[in-house]
Amino acid sequence: MSERTEVGSLGEFGLIEHLTKNIEFHNASTLQGVGDDAAVIDHFGKQTVLSTDLLLEGVHFDLSYTPLQHLGYKTVAVNVSDIYAMNATPTQILLSIGFSNRFSVEALDEFYEGVYAACARYGVDLVGGDTTSSQKGFVISCTAIGEVAPDQYVKRTGAQKGDLLCVSGDLGAAYLGLLLLEREKRIWMENPQIQPDLEGEKYIVGRLLKPEARKDIIEFFAGAGIRPTSMIDISDGLSSELLHLCKGSGVGAMLYEEKLPIHDDTRAAAFKFNSEATACALSGGEDYELLFTIRQDDFEKLGNVNDITVIGYITDAEAGVQLYSKGGNKYPVTAQGWNHMGNA
Amino acid sequence: MSERTEVGSLGEFGLIEHLTKNIEFHNASTLQGVGDDAAVIDHFGKQTVLSTDLLLEGVHFDLSYTPLQHLGYKTVAVNVSDIYAMNATPTQILLSIGFSNRFSVEALDEFYEGVYAACARYGVDLVGGDTTSSQKGFVISCTAIGEVAPDQYVKRTGAQKGDLLCVSGDLGAAYLGLLLLEREKRIWMENPQIQPDLEGEKYIVGRLLKPEARKDIIEFFAGAGIRPTSMIDISDGLSSELLHLCKGSGVGAMLYEEKLPIHDDTRAAAFKFNSEATACALSGGEDYELLFTIRQDDFEKLGNVNDITVIGYITDAEAGVQLYSKGGNKYPVTAQGWNHMGNA
């Protein structure tokens, strides 16, 4: 950012034109995008799926170590993740931002560069939004729209006793990435001469700053003919999401500690932070992996996909939600997910 | 508000359950609402219309004189107004809020009371959202979803030379309501003993604090067989919106000062504030009336609806956008609308 253009020099409508002039549409259903009172979307016998997120500076992200481009990418990824978690395909997004006068046009361009990169990655069209000044800080609101064949969406309420409990990818890395960046920030604030030590931590930092939504898993389901009986995305931590899923479905679950997928770099980072890798996998937030259940009959359809792990099975509600530890003991699973309200 | 329940005592998920436990659905198309990763909406050969707004405390509203219940109502009204401005029917909304720990559960209940009242008024279903803590202030993001028969939506780009320029309701009152409340706030801050003097100002204050979206106008169009050639809702002021409409449609317009619909209370308030009522009608924001154009052939269909006023006609682009004053002079119309970016 060698130049700095004041947002006021463009005006609100000039700014919107500037930020949206390179929009490309990926969906035939997008009839009308930015530039009128509302966007218009056509449907071809599909059902519409909608999700929205509100992200506030200082609560959900820290711009002192979050590049704006990554923040833009993550905003979209996190939102479409909710659409995938319904077994649906995201098609459009609406994006609103509020920002103080400390943001230049160049800074907003960086943010939108990430937004557009994610739109291209996930095949969604940016069709509307709102821009406004804020008194302080950066405010982001993103709404994702998706489509699904009638009644093919997957809720978090359909898990049945005997179903296999599965998770995509690996868990706990984003939380350790956050611990690392918070530590480096504290060190840097105390002593600005010391450069951040991120050597060998690329994986966990990347998982926090640039998560990917699991488009590939939904596509795999479609190809393999699998329809999960229930599904939820992991934003607040495995424990918290599993409890939601079990409560919603009126079931219990048995989770195996030794089955939890944890990346080697996550284990190494947990060790450095004197944390238990298992605890990070259970309670760390922002992994954006998919937690889902399938009928036992569908097990063979999983085939050799090594990015899906069976981590347990569904039980009666009376059995509760339990963790079977490596040591052979059973512990009740409790919600320790990131609870933004807790910071209120 | 005699009681105060801390939000933290409910937790995030308890709060969502609390705020959404009385949700009623008004639309058969609402298949799945709050409580999963995303909402699901069915379609019956309709096209979907989407709009979103981001409202920030201190920029868009001042809680020192805005009752939370009215703010909730207005949030929904303002958002569905954009859907009506597409000649579409709003069906669902998504609502996200961020709030600091100065807000109690009772305060949020008041806000949602207004939200649900507006949902019932406009027949829309609240189907999702996000709640989060904020470091400071109240943040609101609302997305409205509507439906329209294929290709029956009305953009701001279809006005043609010779079309009649029309507006619903009356203009300028909300702006004067704001001037009044800001003045009373200043007086009160300087001298808290002096009670606000809102005698006889109910109309202009009501127009600011509790605007209605013009559902009735869209229903009238459907009944009368009128399809406007272009339409936009007036949130930033008549001048600003008319310039958008003319730019979008590639036309000019002639606007008659003597035709501008202005309420008697608005004129009286303008006089008290040493303002020109015409200037308030042209530049005051937040009226949320509909500005639209119709073909001359449709004039008779307007019949005796006394809440629609023909205020001018569409001209060639070369003629520009002009105001024909009561004194018989022509002035170019310039944008003086509320430009939130200008305050950045």
Side-chain angles (χ1 to χ4, degrees):
Chain A
M1 282 200 291
S2 53
E3 285 184 67
R4 179 183 168 92
T5 308
E6 295 301 327
V7 170
S9 71
L10 296 180
E12 178 177 3
F13 303 113
L15 177 66
I16 294 170
E17 277 183 25
H18 174 84
L19 295 176
T20 58
K21 63 178 186 287
N22 295 321
I23 285 185
E24 286 173 15
F25 288 157
H26 311 278
N27 295 282
S29 61
T30 305
L31 299 181
Q32 162 76 32
V34 176
D36 216 298
D37 296 287
V40 182
I41 296 173
D42 199 8
H43 292 272
F44 307 95
K46 299 267 189 170
Q47 288 171 347
T48 300
V49 181
L50 295 159
S51 181
T52 192
D53 281 313
L54 180 63
L55 306 173
L56 306 180
E57 183 178 353
V59 178
H60 301 91
F61 55 89
D62 185 329
L63 288 177
S64 65
Y65 53 71
T66 308
L68 279 164
Q69 202 177 335
H70 286 184
L71 183 62
Y73 193 95
K74 184 171 176 174
T75 296
V76 177
V78 163
N79 218 228
V80 300
S81 177
D82 280 320
I83 303 296
Y84 291 127
M86 301 296 285
N87 200 34
T89 303
T91 46
Q92 286 90 10
I93 61 165
L94 301 165
L95 179 68
S96 297
I97 55 170
F99 47 90
S100 68
N101 57 10
R102 97 176 192 264
F103 291 84
S104 66
V105 172
E106 288 75 16
L108 297 179
D109 281 343
E110 279 194 45
F111 177 77
Y112 274 83
E113 214 173 292
V115 167
Y116 289 126
C119 284
R121 168 75 181 79
Y122 299 110
V124 297
D125 301 333
L126 174 63
V127 295
D130 196 8
T131 58
T132 182
S133 64
S134 78
Q135 289 180 323
K136 187 166 170 282
F138 198 48
V139 176
I140 308 168
S141 178
C142 189
T143 298
I145 300 102
E147 59 182 28
V148 64
D151 305 317
Q152 289 302 301
Y153 60 92
V154 173
K155 307 207 297 184
R156 54 182 71 165
T157 57
Q160 306 242 340
K161 183 182 174 182
D163 286 353
L164 299 174
L165 184 66
C166 308
V167 70
S168 65
D170 59 80
L171 302 174
Y175 172 67
L176 286 157
L178 178 69
L179 287 189
L180 179 72
L181 289 174
E182 288 285 343
R183 185 189 71 182
E184 295 303 319
K185 182 186 174 183
R186 278 194 306 276
I187 293 172
W188 181 83
M189 286 176 80
E190 283 164 19
N191 194 336
Q193 273 77 48
I194 299 178
Q195 285 300 304
D197 171 23
L198 303 179
E199 188 63 29
E201 313 289 11
K202 204 175 158 192
Y203 183 73
I204 61 170
V205 169
R207 289 283 284 171
L208 176 73
L209 296 183
K210 208 190 167 200
E212 292 286 356
R214 298 310 304 258
K215 181 186 188 191
D216 55 332
I217 300 290
I218 301 306
E219 290 171 347
F220 165 72
F221 289 155
I226 295 175
R227 187 183 171 200
T229 53
S230 70
M231 185 153 54
I232 191 168
D233 78 329
I234 303 180
S235 52
D236 287 341
L238 175 61
S239 297
S240 171
E241 310 297 357
L242 179 57
L243 290 171
H244 281 309
L245 190 147
C246 288
K247 186 183 172 193
S249 299
V251 297
M254 179 64 76
L255 188 65
Y256 289 86
E257 182 184 7
E258 66 172 358
K259 298 290 187 189
L260 293 178
I262 299 173
H263 193 280
D264 286 345
D265 289 2
T266 307
R267 290 195 189 279
F271 183 77
K272 276 191 215 171
F273 277 95
N274 290 317
S275 295
E276 288 243 33
T278 297
C280 297
L282 286 172
S283 306
E286 303 224 77
D287 287 320
Y288 299 104
E289 295 295 344
L290 293 171
L291 176 69
F292 58 94
T293 54
I294 59 171
R295 287 189 304 274
Q296 289 185 25
D297 295 350
D298 283 341
F299 175 67
E300 290 200 357
K301 293 183 187 167
L302 289 182
N304 292 320
V305 179
N306 57 16
D307 209 24
I308 293 176
T309 311
V310 179
I311 57 174
Y313 59 90
I314 298 299
T315 63
D316 274 332
E318 292 70 41
V321 182
Q322 303 213 69
L323 177 76
Y324 190 90
S325 77
K326 286 179 182 168
N329 296 310
K330 291 177 186 174
Y331 301 98
V333 171
T334 55
Q336 299 275 357
W338 279 3
N339 188 334
H340 289 306
M341 300 304 309
N343 306 326
Chain B
M1 280 200 294
S2 54
E3 286 184 66
R4 179 186 166 89
T5 308
E6 295 300 328
V7 170
S9 70
L10 297 181
E12 177 175 6
F13 303 114
L15 177 66
I16 294 170
E17 276 182 27
H18 174 84
L19 296 175
T20 59
K21 65 178 184 289
N22 295 322
I23 284 186
E24 286 172 17
F25 288 156
H26 311 279
N27 295 283
S29 61
T30 304
L31 300 181
Q32 162 75 33
V34 175
D36 216 299
D37 295 288
V40 182
I41 295 173
D42 200 9
H43 292 271
F44 307 96
K46 299 266 189 171
Q47 288 172 348
T48 300
V49 180
L50 296 158
S51 180
T52 194
D53 281 313
L54 181 62
L55 306 174
L56 306 179
E57 184 180 353
V59 178
H60 301 91
F61 54 90
D62 185 329
L63 288 178
S64 66
Y65 54 70
T66 309
L68 279 164
Q69 203 178 334
H70 287 184
L71 183 62
Y73 193 96
K74 184 170 176 173
T75 296
V76 178
V78 164
N79 218 227
V80 299
S81 177
D82 280 320
I83 303 295
Y84 291 127
M86 300 296 284
N87 201 32
T89 303
T91 46
Q92 285 90 9
I93 60 164
L94 301 165
L95 178 68
S96 297
I97 55 171
F99 47 89
S100 68
N101 57 9
R102 98 176 193 264
F103 289 85
S104 66
V105 173
E106 287 77 14
L108 297 179
D109 281 343
E110 280 193 45
F111 177 77
Y112 273 84
E113 214 173 292
V115 167
Y116 289 126
C119 284
R121 169 74 181 80
Y122 300 110
V124 298
D125 301 332
L126 174 63
V127 295
D130 195 8
T131 59
T132 182
S133 65
S134 78
Q135 291 180 321
K136 187 166 169 285
F138 199 48
V139 176
I140 307 168
S141 177
C142 189
T143 298
I145 301 102
E147 58 182 30
V148 64
D151 305 318
Q152 288 302 301
Y153 59 93
V154 173
K155 307 207 298 184
R156 53 182 70 166
T157 56
Q160 305 242 337
K161 183 182 175 182
D163 286 352
L164 299 175
L165 183 67
C166 309
V167 71
S168 65
D170 58 79
L171 303 174
Y175 173 68
L176 285 157
L178 178 69
L179 287 189
L180 179 72
L181 290 173
E182 289 284 343
R183 184 189 70 182
E184 295 304 319
K185 181 185 176 184
R186 277 195 307 274
I187 293 173
W188 182 83
M189 285 177 79
E190 284 164 18
N191 193 336
Q193 273 76 49
I194 300 178
Q195 286 299 306
D197 172 23
L198 303 179
E199 188 62 32
E201 313 290 11
K202 206 177 155 189
Y203 183 73
I204 61 171
V205 170
R207 289 284 285 171
L208 176 73
L209 296 184
K210 208 189 167 200
E212 293 285 356
R214 298 310 303 259
K215 181 187 188 191
D216 55 332
I217 299 290
I218 302 307
E219 290 170 347
F220 166 73
F221 288 155
I226 296 174
R227 186 180 171 203
T229 53
S230 70
M231 185 153 56
I232 189 169
D233 78 329
I234 302 181
S235 52
D236 287 341
L238 175 62
S239 296
S240 172
E241 311 298 356
L242 178 58
L243 289 171
H244 282 308
L245 190 148
C246 287
K247 187 184 172 194
S249 299
V251 297
M254 179 63 77
L255 187 65
Y256 289 86
E257 182 185 6
E258 64 171 0
K259 297 290 187 189
L260 293 178
I262 300 174
H263 194 280
D264 285 347
D265 289 2
T266 306
R267 289 195 191 280
F271 183 76
K272 278 192 215 171
F273 276 96
N274 290 318
S275 294
E276 288 243 32
T278 297
C280 297
L282 285 172
S283 304
E286 304 224 78
D287 288 319
Y288 299 105
E289 296 295 343
L290 293 170
L291 176 69
F292 58 94
T293 54
I294 58 171
R295 286 189 306 275
Q296 290 185 25
D297 294 349
D298 283 340
F299 176 67
E300 290 199 356
K301 293 182 188 167
L302 289 183
N304 292 322
V305 180
N306 58 16
D307 209 27
I308 293 177
T309 310
V310 179
I311 57 173
Y313 59 88
I314 297 299
T315 62
D316 273 334
E318 292 70 41
V321 182
Q322 302 213 70
L323 178 75
Y324 190 90
S325 77
K326 287 178 182 170
N329 296 310
K330 291 179 188 173
Y331 300 97
V333 170
T334 54
Q336 297 275 356
W338 281 2
N339 187 333
H340 289 305
M341 299 306 310
N343 308 324

